[in-house]
Amino acid sequence: MHRKTTSRIAALASYVALSCLAAGPDCASAEELLKARLAQNLGPISGLAIVAKSKGIFEKHGLEITVSNFTSGKQCLDTVIGGGADIATTAEAPVTASAMANQPIAFVAGMEYSDLKTVVAAKAGIKTRADLRGKRIAFTAGTGSEVYTATLLKSAGLTAKDVTLVNLRPQEMLPALAAGSIDAFDTWEPHISNAKKALGEAAGELDTKGTYSETFNIVVMRPYLDANPALVEKFIGALIDAEIWMKAHPDEAIAVVADAAGMKRDELSAIWSEYVYRVRLDDRLIEILRTHAAWRLESGNHPPGATMPDFRNIIAAEPLKKLDPARVTLSWK
């Protein structure tokens, strides 16, 4: 009996070893997996992290990632700063706010960018940007939505005094527009497409292409990075593999992300090209961070005594540079 049991254990061990060999050199046993908590905005903007989790890519890189989902990157970064998670998916707005508040954050990679957009109520008669004058416009404070709104108004020759601004969470915007309590809202996908589909001819999209691109990024606390450099490197490596897999399997990637985000696959497919997925650190990221920080200084939306952050102290390029130097193209102009 003992001999049979020993034989079964040996066979199982052999199977596990062969499975790991087939999966690649990064395969790790459950005992060896490094554990981390991810605070994730559950939407297509977090597509790389969603795929890495759903397709077991994190595990192949020796990671056990526990995910908590939120509706904005601000909530994600606040959770990390508060100690409730280790890694955040977040946009540039929470990054600049945290940098100006002297929070010891480390920006380790960008992973996606896409344009923010404006949905308008048909009855509001908003055909051009100038038509926003006197209208009630919803935005989400502390996120890229706020900067996009300010940038959009400025492009139309308007200021916040020329409109009524209403601070809402993205999921609150569609009901508010349907109820007539706002005339327009500024946010990201899939809330734009969801509203247009739900309201039909009662809503439309204002042409604001090129006004403001929001980035979505990976941020940790600097002490966490210092204590866990191998884990952070493995996490970024998993995102790179997820990016490669997504580009090779676009239809399956759409299905995975849509199912995770609670969207219909055909609806995500229609806007899939809006999301540019690439793990990188480049000058465009720095430009967007500086633009956002400049807006904070100009608008007064910053902690007392804040100045323009030196983003060289915020960006932590070492993990990505070790994995793929070609993905780090910072010139620091």
Side-chain angles (χ1 to χ4, degrees):
M1 191 72 177
H2 174 72
R3 189 172 300 168
K4 289 183 179 179
T5 302
T6 302
S7 177
R8 290 194 189 100
I9 293 174
L12 178 59
S14 176
Y15 171 76
V16 170
L18 287 172
S19 296
C20 282
L21 185 61
D26 289 317
C27 180
S29 69
E31 291 76 14
E32 296 171 328
L33 294 178
L34 299 177
K35 297 180 180 181
R37 302 164 298 168
L38 173 65
Q40 172 181 268
N41 183 324
L42 186 57
I45 46 181
S46 293
L48 294 184
I50 289 171
V51 165
K53 177 69 174 178
S54 298
K55 301 302 293 184
I57 298 174
F58 284 135
E59 286 79 3
K60 289 181 181 179
H61 281 260
L63 300 174
E64 181 182 329
I65 302 298
T66 303
V67 179
S68 296
N69 290 311
F70 298 90
T71 59
S72 76
K74 181 179 186 300
Q75 293 172 311
C76 295
L77 188 52
D78 284 348
T79 300
V80 167
I81 292 172
D86 306 309
I87 304 169
T89 67
T90 190
E92 63 281 348
V95 172
T96 59
S98 298
M100 288 180 161
N102 295 316
Q103 293 286 355
I105 60 171
F107 187 118
V108 296
M111 63 173 181
E112 183 272 347
Y113 65 87
S114 53
D115 284 347
L116 272 70
K117 303 176 183 178
T118 299
V119 168
V120 300
K123 63 182 180 182
I126 302 172
K127 304 297 184 183
T128 68
R129 302 180 186 201
D131 295 333
L132 292 169
R133 183 184 297 274
K135 299 300 191 293
R136 299 160 297 175
I137 305 170
F139 72 107
T140 305
T143 72
S145 167
E146 187 169 8
V147 183
Y148 165 71
T149 300
T151 305
L152 176 61
L153 292 176
K154 187 175 182 179
S155 72
L158 305 174
T159 71
K161 295 180 180 179
D162 296 314
V163 299
T164 299
L165 295 176
V166 182
N167 181 19
L168 297 176
R169 293 180 298 172
Q171 64 268 34
E172 297 171 332
M173 294 177 174
L174 169 54
L177 194 72
S181 57
I182 59 173
D183 302 304
F185 66 76
D186 299 337
T187 192
W188 48 82
E189 294 285 9
H191 303 287
I192 298 294
S193 297
N194 290 345
K196 290 164 62 179
K197 182 176 179 63
L199 298 177
E201 294 183 358
E205 183 182 336
L206 186 64
D207 181 7
T208 64
K209 188 173 181 60
T211 299
Y212 187 84
S213 289
E214 181 179 58
T215 65
F216 225 64
N217 316 290
I218 300 299
V219 177
V220 299
M221 303 305 289
R222 178 68 67 168
Y224 183 84
L225 174 59
D226 292 342
N228 301 276
L231 189 154
V232 174
E233 185 177 328
K234 287 176 181 290
F235 187 93
I236 297 172
L239 295 184
I240 292 174
D241 280 358
E243 175 196 319
I244 294 169
W245 182 88
M246 287 172 71
K247 290 176 179 176
H249 307 87
D251 292 339
E252 190 176 351
I254 290 170
V256 169
V257 175
D259 291 348
M263 297 178 64
K264 292 182 178 179
R265 297 180 183 184
D266 60 335
E267 292 175 0
L268 179 56
S269 179
I271 59 173
W272 188 249
S273 62
E274 301 282 344
Y275 301 98
V276 181
Y277 297 108
R278 177 163 172 77
V279 179
R280 85 277 182 217
L281 287 169
D282 58 14
D283 287 342
R284 180 174 185 174
L285 281 171
I286 304 305
E287 179 184 352
I288 291 173
L289 286 170
R290 286 174 174 163
T291 297
H292 200 287
W295 167 81
R296 287 194 181 280
L297 292 172
E298 182 181 338
S299 65
N301 190 349
H302 58 78
T307 59
M308 174 65 72
D310 184 347
F311 289 106
R312 287 174 293 187
N313 297 329
I314 307 300
I315 301 297
E318 295 81 8
L320 180 55
K321 191 175 290 186
K322 284 182 65 177
L323 290 165
D324 188 348
R327 290 175 180 266
V328 180
T329 57
L330 299 168
S331 65
W332 295 113
K333 293 179 181 179

